[in-house]
Amino acid sequence: DCSYGGTNRSCREFFTPMGMEFTFCDFRDIDNIRKAIKPNTKLIFSETPANPVLSLCDIEEISKVAKEIGAYHVVDSTFATPVICRPL
C-alpha cells in the first residue's frame, strides 16, 4: 500500500470531496488490483518505482487489467524518469 504522499493526500483531501472514490492497494500483486476494482472504476493509477520504498509493479499486466474493464492506466514513474521507464 505504497504511494507518494502528495498523490495520496490529493486523492483524499481534494478529490474525494468532489465525489470521486479511491481505493488504495499494494500493486506488487496483480490480484490485489483485481480485488480493488469496483463497477465504477474508470482509472488505475500506478507508481513505479513507488515513493518512498521503491517497490516495483508490472506496468504491462496492470495495463491489461485496465483494458479488460475499459479503464485508463496512468503510470507515475518520476523516480525512474523516461530514460529508464517508458510505459508507452
Side-chain angles (χ1 to χ4, degrees), residues 8-25:
N8 189 302
R9 200 169 24 264
S10 293
C11 291
R12 290 181 289 107
E13 295 181 14
F14 300 125
F15 299 122
T16 298
M18 294 181 196
M20 295 181 196
E21 297 177 24
F22 298 89
T23 304
F24 298 93
C25 70

Side-chain angles (χ1 to χ4, degrees), residues 3-80:
S3 65
Y4 172 62
T7 302
N8 189 302
R9 200 169 24 264
S10 293
C11 291
R12 290 181 289 107
E13 295 181 14
F14 300 125
F15 299 122
T16 298
M18 294 181 196
M20 295 181 196
E21 297 177 24
F22 298 89
T23 304
F24 298 93
C25 70
D26 184 342
F27 276 67
R28 293 173 293 178
D29 184 343
I30 200 77
D31 288 332
N32 290 333
I33 300 166
R34 290 186 189 284
K35 291 175 190 169
I37 292 171
K38 298 178 181 178
N40 63 343
T41 299
K42 304 286 185 232
L43 180 130
I44 297 174
F45 184 94
S46 65
E47 182 180 353
T48 190
N51 181 359
V53 297
L54 302 179
S55 59
L56 302 175
C57 64
D58 189 332
I59 296 170
E60 187 174 354
E61 285 302 309
I62 296 169
S63 292
K64 287 178 186 176
V65 170
K67 193 173 220 176
E68 288 170 9
I69 63 166
Y72 292 101
H73 178 206
V74 174
V75 180
D76 175 351
S77 60
T78 302
F79 272 6

Side-chain angles (χ1 to χ4, degrees), residues 2 48 84:
C2 181
T48 190
I84 298 170

